[in-house]
Amino acid sequence: MNKIQLALLSCLLSVLSFITVAAEPRLEPTEQERARTVYIFHQPVVMLQAKFGLTTPEERVLRIRNTLRHFTEQDVREPLKIIPVTRYNQPGRLIVMNGKPVMLLTQADLDEGDDLTLDQAAQRVLTRLEAQRTALHEQYNSGWIALSAVKTIAGFLALVLFWYGAWRSWRWVRRFYRHRILESRSIIPQRWRKFVGAIETRLYALLMFLSGALGLYLWLRWAFSLFPWTRVWGTSLGDWAVRVLRDIAFSIASALPGLMIVLIIFLITAFILKLLKILLNQVEVGGLQLPGIHPETVGATRKLISVGVWLFALSAAYPFLPGANSLAFKGISVFFGLMLTLGSAGVMNHAMSGLVLIYSRALRKGDVIRVADNEGLVTEIGMLATKILTRENYIVTVPNAVVVSGKITNLSAQEPDAGINLTVGVTIGYDTPWRQVHAMLEMAARRAKCIDHSQPPLVRQLELMDWYIAYELQVKLIPGQALAEARNELHGLIQDVFNEFNVQIMSPNFVMQPEGTVIVAEENWYAAPAEQPEQK
């Protein structure tokens, strides 16, 4: 027997793997049933059940395999036949090839559930064997092999042409979107065009890559099926694809009820949050009052309620998510839980401090505050930090824990949309009449354009120091007036007024007792611009 014959018979008789039942194969055989099954090119032929003496059905399968290995190419060319025989006192049907026995099928090999006669079962086995023999004989024809090789090469060239076309189409799509961006012709806004175009081109590239991989898979399966030596691989690839698609379809079908429940839970959650939003919006505009909820805290309250409701909805929907009970899903949950536990200590401190700021209403967006060394306009009160716009036009981000732990000075008035309270101070010696200082500070305030003149300026003597008096001028600014600009204007006017009346702004200090007494004579108590009250 030459090498070609040996290869042919090895292929024919790589025949047996194990799956079928009696004369009719089972769909889901057990391990014992697999061992009793004759299998050719992954096609179930017959399952033997009869035991002859000490010979078990498994041993009969092995003997059939050894018998097939000894057939020649000439034997394979001859059609199979059925010969009625009697063996071991049982009626049987002997299947032969070129006069040589292949296998024996007896009445005891039949499965009562198949409801077949011995002749019917033998005919079905013969049909399956004959289909495999005919296909194998045709494929081992030299002309068939040559034609198969040509088909394989032609299929590969077609695949390469498809790959080239996919690559060229991707380049065309990329150029198309670049031209659309340059020409500004698109229904999508130009500021989104570059971003969206890049995503679309990459999605198209991914689609072409997957199409190319699918083409390669189909070509391999088809090419393997053309040759007898690789036909098993082609069948295996086909079975694998069918199995994967079937598993995917079953997984999707089995997950649909759970996904529908999840969808219903999320729709109910969204409806509840919509109602709460309408209710809280009424509180924010003042149309409704709820105990413990103020218009300034509506934003934070809405976020807290949304987070709580969504967490509750996620907890309710979690058991219905596909793969929720898998070890991988549980491992990911444990991993993220550990990360949150280890990393949330500082974050939660700032978050809770942010809630304290919001619900204590110590400040609000648009207030002018002083925190530590920072003074400016509050532009944002976040869950983790507060942002302040300073007079230098800097954005200072102060962690909420720092804001809460320190002193907060709110310079804004208590009335909504009112101006800011501004105070400036000077220290003047005792030799200057305090009435004159009061009058000069009030005059400087009246000259200022940034001050709300409907509110009269207020001058206070804060402290009587050893060598001078500390004065404070308090005014209210026009709404919307910047604090730094108002302070700059008022300082300049104070200097001008004091210069007009020859009063020096200074904080005197004495090294030794002066020769004269540092006092103001009574006739100078009402020095200009102070006005002496009328005598009653």
Side-chain angles (χ1 to χ4, degrees):
M1 185 180 298
N2 56 33
K3 294 183 178 178
I4 295 179
Q5 292 172 334
L6 289 173
L8 174 139
L9 294 176
S10 296
C11 245
L12 174 62
L13 287 265
S14 69
V15 302
L16 306 147
S17 261
F18 321 113
I19 161 175
T20 70
V21 159
E24 291 302 306
R26 299 187 191 276
L27 295 177
E28 297 181 359
T30 63
E31 291 299 325
Q32 183 181 13
E33 291 169 345
R34 291 173 187 272
R36 295 181 176 184
T37 300
V38 177
Y39 187 100
I40 299 179
F41 289 147
H42 288 270
Q43 298 299 321
V45 177
V46 64
M47 186 182 78
L48 305 178
Q49 299 190 108
K51 180 179 180 182
F52 299 146
L54 298 178
T55 304
T56 62
E58 291 83 357
E59 292 175 339
R60 292 176 60 195
V61 170
L62 294 177
R63 288 182 180 181
I64 293 173
R65 176 185 297 177
N66 293 330
T67 300
L68 290 173
R69 286 175 179 167
H70 291 85
F71 284 109
T72 64
E73 184 177 356
Q74 182 62 37
D75 295 331
V76 175
R77 293 177 182 176
E78 299 297 329
L80 293 160
K81 298 179 181 179
I82 299 177
I83 300 176
V85 296
T86 300
R87 297 286 173 88
Y88 306 101
N89 297 322
Q90 297 184 41
R93 298 296 180 266
L94 182 64
I95 300 176
V96 298
M97 180 191 299
N98 195 21
K100 300 178 181 180
V102 177
M103 68 175 64
L104 175 65
L105 189 66
T106 66
Q107 189 70 35
D109 288 319
L110 302 183
D111 190 347
E112 295 180 357
D114 291 337
D115 196 20
L116 295 173
T117 65
L118 181 60
D119 289 332
Q120 291 174 337
Q123 190 60 44
R124 292 194 179 189
V125 173
L126 178 68
T127 301
R128 296 177 188 133
L129 288 173
E130 185 64 22
Q132 298 300 324
R133 185 200 65 80
T134 302
L136 185 62
H137 173 65
E138 292 176 351
Q139 292 180 27
Y140 268 93
N141 183 279
S142 58
W144 177 274
I145 296 297
L147 180 61
S148 298
V150 172
K151 289 181 178 179
T152 301
I153 296 173
F156 182 74
L157 292 177
L159 178 63
V160 172
L161 183 63
F162 173 76
W163 286 347
Y164 179 74
W167 178 70
R168 293 284 298 180
S169 67
W170 172 73
R171 293 190 62 185
W172 179 85
V173 168
R174 187 172 61 175
R175 288 197 304 270
F176 172 78
Y177 281 115
R178 287 180 178 177
H179 291 160
R180 296 291 293 271
I181 293 172
L182 294 176
E183 297 171 4
S184 300
R185 293 189 299 108
S186 176
I187 60 176
I188 300 177
Q190 183 66 16
R191 63 180 180 273
W192 291 96
R193 182 68 266 177
K194 293 182 179 180
F195 175 71
V196 175
I199 293 179
E200 291 172 338
T201 53
R202 282 166 174 76
L203 287 176
Y204 185 80
L206 178 61
L207 177 62
M208 291 298 99
F209 176 79
L210 294 177
S211 300
L214 178 62
L216 177 62
Y217 172 81
L218 294 176
W219 175 80
L220 285 173
R221 180 180 180 276
W222 175 71
F224 286 154
S225 65
L226 294 177
F227 300 94
W229 304 281
T230 58
R231 187 178 179 187
V232 175
W233 299 345
T235 306
S236 299
L237 285 176
D239 293 343
W240 176 82
V242 172
R243 186 169 59 255
V244 169
L245 292 177
R246 182 189 61 193
D247 292 343
I248 292 174
F250 286 165
S251 298
I252 294 175
S254 61
L256 284 178
L259 291 177
M260 290 298 299
I261 295 176
V262 172
L263 178 61
I264 292 173
I265 292 174
F266 285 168
L267 288 177
I268 294 175
T269 303
F271 178 74
I272 293 174
L273 290 178
K274 187 67 176 179
L275 293 179
L276 290 173
K277 182 180 180 181
I278 295 174
L279 183 65
L280 293 176
N281 285 342
Q282 290 298 315
V283 175
E284 189 173 17
V285 298
L288 181 66
Q289 293 183 351
L290 294 177
I293 300 180
H294 304 277
E296 299 87 353
T297 62
V298 166
T301 303
R302 184 187 297 116
K303 292 179 181 178
L304 289 175
I305 293 177
S306 299
V307 171
V309 172
W310 278 117
L311 287 177
F312 179 79
L314 183 60
S315 300
Y318 176 83
F320 302 100
L321 292 175
N325 295 324
S326 64
L327 294 178
F329 212 112
K330 295 178 180 178
I332 293 175
S333 302
V334 172
F335 174 72
F336 278 105
L338 183 61
M339 289 182 59
L340 290 175
T341 301
L342 296 178
S344 63
V347 174
M348 289 304 298
N349 183 23
H350 294 302
M352 295 306 296
S353 299
L355 294 178
V356 170
L357 286 177
I358 294 172
Y359 284 97
S360 65
R361 294 183 293 166
L363 51 90
R364 60 184 178 180
K365 184 179 179 180
D367 285 350
V368 178
I369 66 170
R370 185 182 297 120
V371 176
D373 297 332
N374 302 298
E375 180 183 271
L377 179 70
V378 177
T379 60
E380 180 183 345
I381 304 176
M383 291 298 296
L384 301 179
T386 299
K387 296 184 182 298
I388 301 174
L389 177 64
T390 65
R391 64 175 180 273
E392 299 92 347
N393 205 28
Y394 296 156
I395 295 292
V396 179
T397 301
V398 185
N400 285 335
V402 176
V403 177
V404 172
S405 63
K407 182 181 71 173
I408 304 173
T409 303
N410 196 332
L411 305 180
S412 301
Q414 294 181 356
E415 299 83 4
D417 301 325
I420 302 172
N421 292 321
L422 172 63
T423 58
V424 295
V426 293
T427 53
I428 306 298
Y430 284 97
D431 53 348
T432 303
W434 65 266
R435 296 177 181 84
Q436 183 185 25
V437 175
H438 279 225
M440 290 188 294
L441 291 175
E442 291 171 355
M443 180 180 291
R446 287 192 295 269
R447 292 182 181 180
K449 299 178 180 180
C450 60
I451 293 175
D452 183 4
H453 294 290
S454 63
Q455 300 288 338
L458 180 61
V459 180
R460 302 184 184 91
Q461 297 183 40
L462 297 181
E463 191 171 359
L464 301 177
M465 310 294 288
D466 288 340
W467 301 301
Y468 50 81
I469 304 171
Y471 298 90
E472 178 187 75
L473 171 64
Q474 179 178 333
V475 295
K476 179 172 289 188
L477 304 183
I478 298 174
Q481 177 65 49
L483 182 64
E485 296 177 0
R487 185 183 286 117
N488 179 66
E489 180 186 14
L490 194 56
H491 283 170
L493 291 173
I494 290 174
Q495 294 178 68
D496 291 342
V497 171
F498 273 63
N499 289 334
E500 288 178 15
F501 293 96
N502 298 318
V503 176
Q504 184 178 7
I505 300 176
M506 63 177 298
S507 302
N509 287 272
F510 298 113
V511 177
M512 58 181 296
Q513 180 67 29
E515 294 181 358
T517 304
V518 184
I519 61 173
V520 176
E522 184 175 356
E523 61 271 15
N524 295 326
W525 284 4
Y526 295 97
E531 297 179 358
Q532 185 172 0
E534 297 180 357
Q535 299 291 333
K536 294 183 180 181

